[in-house]
Amino acid sequence: MDARYRIAKILICALLPLCVAPVLKAQSLMDGQMEVRNLAVSRQEDKLFVSLDLDVSALKVGTNREVVFAPTLSKGEHLIELPAVMVAGRNRYYHHLRNKSAVSLDRLYRSGEQDVIEYRLVVPYERWMTKAALNVSNTTNGCCGTPILNDVALLENVLPEKDAMAFFPEYVYIRPKAEQKINQIEGSAYIDFPVNRTELYPEYRRNPQELKKILATIDAVREDADTRILGISIKGYASPEGSYTNNVRLAKGRTATLKEYVRGQYHFPDSLFTTSYEPEDWEGLRRFVEGSGLTYRDEILRLIDSDMEPDAKDRKIKVTYRNDYAYLLREVYPGLRHSDYMVRYEVRAYTDPEEIKRLLRTQPQKLSLQEMYLVAQDMEPGSEEYNETFEIAVRMFPGDATANLNAANTAMRLGNLPLAEKYLEKAGDTSEAVYARGIHAALSGNYEAAETLLKEADRKGQEKAKEMLKRLEEVRKSLE
């Protein structure tokens, strides 16, 4: 099956709900030997879609004969001959195959081999097609004798005036800038150290599992041929009990020990690592207390937020709220002694469209916005994979203005105006974003707002805005 035909089929299935002429009852051709079913015509933007099923199950074609189904669009002096379908008997079928007939091979069928032929077509829309007629000629040819011709009107008005006057926009997508792809993976490990010591024992308590977490994160990047580690950072935390000075020593020393352990596993250069430490994790303690049901929750929060010195603060909580403090010391403080780590890495650039498509399905986090955009240019606008590409892009880059603008355009194409509005809130204020908001207003029926926004987009240099303003004016006049 021709690739363009497959694309047309996808588009028609997606777009027929938009601005569609009624699906008519079945129509017989050639004294009932052929039947046209599910006939529908629609317009979307600058394209006209024709869809019908041609039932040829009752058609009997002699071995040296052929039947040509040739649709046309016409109105007054305008006429477009649409691609014909041929059903041929055995000899005529192979004759066309051998001689590379003018009939497109994807529309050539051998009699008796197919009961229903799906006819799907996309043609550029022109204004005269409003109220145009869709006719079909059926010609029976043979090696001898005169061709038999039958003309039938399938549809007298393929696109009613009210549908032709609907607002059909052109969408403007932005090509993202090329950027270095720097990603990072983060995690927390809870390494057990002997009381008041900084030595690390890999087999001590739960250390085997916690150290494995760190190494597994590094391995996930290190063993991927598409990535290169740029840096590893480790930040150690101690809990608030004990003296602040001693906690500085513990947090700093334990962080350095953990770094050396990790470095030794891979023989990484020291320059690859950065370390820092937090002597007492008061922020972590505050997060827990705020969400807890402690008896003196509010009072403890006020102490945590106070300007008291750390040692005095911890002592005050301990002395004043003994039961709550005992609970914190037993259940919460151990979790405040943790080491946060981050692996920062670079992903190589991708240029092969098929590889990018595979990664879109399996590892979209490896792709840049630009790579997603570039592969979308190889897809048919409006197709399922095209729309999905921009949806993936905005999921991977939810705060990016370009990703949100392109996703808004896709949502509007699909008729999902509430989702498009959500994306447009984060699309920025470029001429393309203002233009898209104007399109959204027009599709929502708010023509005054649409006009204001499109004029602003025009002032900002968006070249499509003038044409959309003309279309908008035509629609508004048609409603008067």
Side-chain angles (χ1 to χ4, degrees):
M1 186 183 292
D2 184 85
R4 288 173 298 176
Y5 174 78
R6 290 197 301 269
I7 291 169
K9 187 175 179 181
I10 291 170
L11 285 171
I12 289 168
C13 291
L15 297 175
L16 274 177
L18 303 172
C19 195
V20 183
V23 178
L24 303 181
K25 294 181 179 179
Q27 293 175 266
S28 294
L29 307 175
M30 297 181 62
D31 296 325
Q33 292 187 67
M34 300 174 70
E35 196 170 67
V36 175
R37 297 176 180 170
N38 303 319
L39 171 61
V41 180
S42 67
R43 176 192 166 195
Q44 172 65 8
E45 301 178 29
D46 58 348
K47 297 179 179 65
L48 190 75
F49 299 85
V50 179
S51 173
L52 62 87
D53 294 332
L54 185 62
D55 188 336
V56 293
S57 58
L59 180 64
K60 306 299 180 185
V61 183
T63 186
N64 292 313
R65 298 179 74 78
E66 64 195 24
V67 174
V68 179
F69 175 88
T72 60
L73 274 174
S74 62
K75 181 181 178 182
E77 60 184 17
H78 299 285
L79 174 68
I80 291 181
E81 295 180 352
L82 305 180
V85 170
M86 179 184 289
V87 181
R90 180 183 184 280
N91 290 349
R92 296 292 289 181
Y93 177 80
Y94 287 110
H95 168 78
H96 287 296
L97 290 182
R98 288 193 301 270
N99 295 282
K100 297 181 179 179
S101 167
V103 175
S104 176
L105 295 182
D106 67 299
R107 298 185 188 276
L108 172 64
Y109 301 89
R110 182 176 169 180
S111 178
E113 289 193 344
Q114 191 155 336
D115 289 340
V116 178
I117 298 170
E118 294 182 349
Y119 188 91
R120 308 288 186 263
L121 188 69
V122 183
V123 296
Y125 171 77
E126 299 179 38
R127 289 189 60 81
W128 65 265
M129 293 177 182
T130 302
K131 294 186 177 181
L134 177 63
N135 301 316
V136 64
S137 65
N138 288 101
T139 307
T140 303
N141 300 315
C143 61
C144 305
T146 304
I148 302 172
L149 175 65
N150 293 290
D151 286 319
V152 177
L154 294 179
L155 191 58
E156 294 184 358
N157 184 0
V158 298
L159 199 63
E161 182 76 27
K162 65 179 181 64
D163 292 339
M165 286 296 103
F167 183 77
F168 291 99
E170 293 183 39
Y171 299 102
V172 177
Y173 288 77
I174 295 182
R175 176 173 179 164
K177 296 179 181 178
E179 295 180 350
Q180 189 179 16
K181 294 187 289 182
I182 306 297
N183 294 341
Q184 62 189 43
I185 305 178
E186 302 175 351
S188 288
Y190 299 89
I191 309 298
D192 277 319
F193 290 88
V195 176
N196 212 31
R197 305 289 292 274
T198 60
E199 297 92 341
L200 172 61
Y201 297 101
E203 302 303 322
Y204 184 62
R205 293 185 177 176
R206 57 181 176 178
N207 286 350
Q209 303 95 293
E210 295 302 305
L211 291 171
K212 186 177 180 180
K213 285 164 52 177
I214 301 176
L215 302 184
T217 301
I218 295 172
D219 288 341
V221 179
R222 179 171 169 268
E223 295 172 3
D224 189 333
D226 291 349
T227 63
R228 179 174 67 92
I229 294 178
L230 299 177
I232 300 172
S233 64
I234 300 174
K235 183 174 183 178
Y237 294 80
S239 52
E241 84 277 17
S243 74
Y244 188 84
T245 301
N246 192 50
N247 285 338
V248 169
R249 179 184 69 84
L250 291 175
K252 183 177 181 180
R254 289 172 176 178
T255 300
T257 301
L258 179 58
K259 183 206 81 171
E260 288 304 316
Y261 172 82
V262 173
R263 191 168 77 89
Q265 300 303 303
Y266 302 99
H267 305 290
F268 286 149
D270 189 70
S271 59
L272 195 65
F273 289 83
T274 57
T275 61
S276 58
Y277 61 91
E278 188 75 35
E280 297 180 356
D281 189 5
W282 286 98
E283 287 187 12
L285 177 62
R286 192 191 194 289
R287 284 194 298 272
F288 174 81
V289 172
E290 187 173 32
S292 74
L294 293 174
T295 304
Y296 295 100
R297 169 188 170 275
D298 294 341
E299 290 81 357
I300 294 173
L301 282 174
R302 280 195 290 271
L303 281 172
I304 291 173
D305 294 338
S306 71
D307 295 331
M308 296 174 65
E309 292 296 321
D311 288 349
K313 190 183 301 185
D314 182 62
R315 186 165 51 252
K316 181 72 171 177
I317 298 172
K318 179 179 179 179
V319 172
T320 310
Y321 311 108
R322 292 183 179 277
N323 291 338
D324 283 350
Y325 185 83
Y327 177 84
L328 293 174
L329 190 65
R330 182 180 69 253
E331 302 294 337
V332 180
Y333 277 27
L336 302 178
R337 305 167 200 140
H338 58 98
S339 298
D340 291 352
Y341 55 90
M342 180 185 71
V343 181
R344 187 167 169 267
Y345 63 95
E346 179 183 19
V347 183
R348 74 171 177 87
Y350 301 99
T351 56
D352 178 25
E354 292 306 314
E355 184 177 27
I356 296 175
K357 288 179 183 179
R358 176 179 58 79
L359 289 170
L360 275 170
R361 297 188 298 270
T362 59
Q363 295 176 292
Q365 69 274 13
K366 283 188 171 184
L367 298 173
S368 68
L369 269 178
Q370 187 198 40
E371 288 163 342
M372 295 182 190
Y373 178 88
L374 290 177
V375 78
Q377 305 315 297
D378 285 343
M379 304 171 183
E380 181 67 23
S383 66
E384 184 177 352
E385 63 175 354
Y386 182 89
N387 297 332
E388 186 179 9
T389 297
F390 289 107
E391 280 298 313
I392 292 172
V394 80
R395 286 202 303 270
M396 300 308 299
F397 302 91
D400 186 271
T402 297
N404 278 278
L405 173 61
N406 290 341
N409 285 329
T410 298
M412 286 190 286
R413 276 184 182 275
L414 296 174
N416 193 337
L417 297 183
L419 182 60
E421 184 176 18
K422 173 186 171 185
Y423 290 140
L424 286 172
E425 290 174 358
K426 297 186 286 185
D429 294 308
T430 62
S431 65
E432 293 87 355
V434 176
Y435 173 85
R437 292 187 182 102
I439 297 300
H440 184 274
L443 292 173
S444 301
N446 190 346
Y447 297 139
E448 289 187 9
E451 181 179 10
T452 299
L453 288 164
L454 289 173
K455 285 181 177 179
E456 181 183 348
D458 182 42
R459 288 193 297 272
K460 287 191 167 190
Q462 178 46 242
E463 58 185 24
K464 294 287 186 182
K466 281 187 171 62
E467 176 61 26
M468 289 303 102
L469 282 165
K470 290 180 182 177
R471 292 190 189 182
L472 185 65
E473 184 62 24
E474 291 175 357
V475 171
R476 296 178 76 171
K477 285 182 178 179
S478 71
L479 297 175
E480 293 176 355

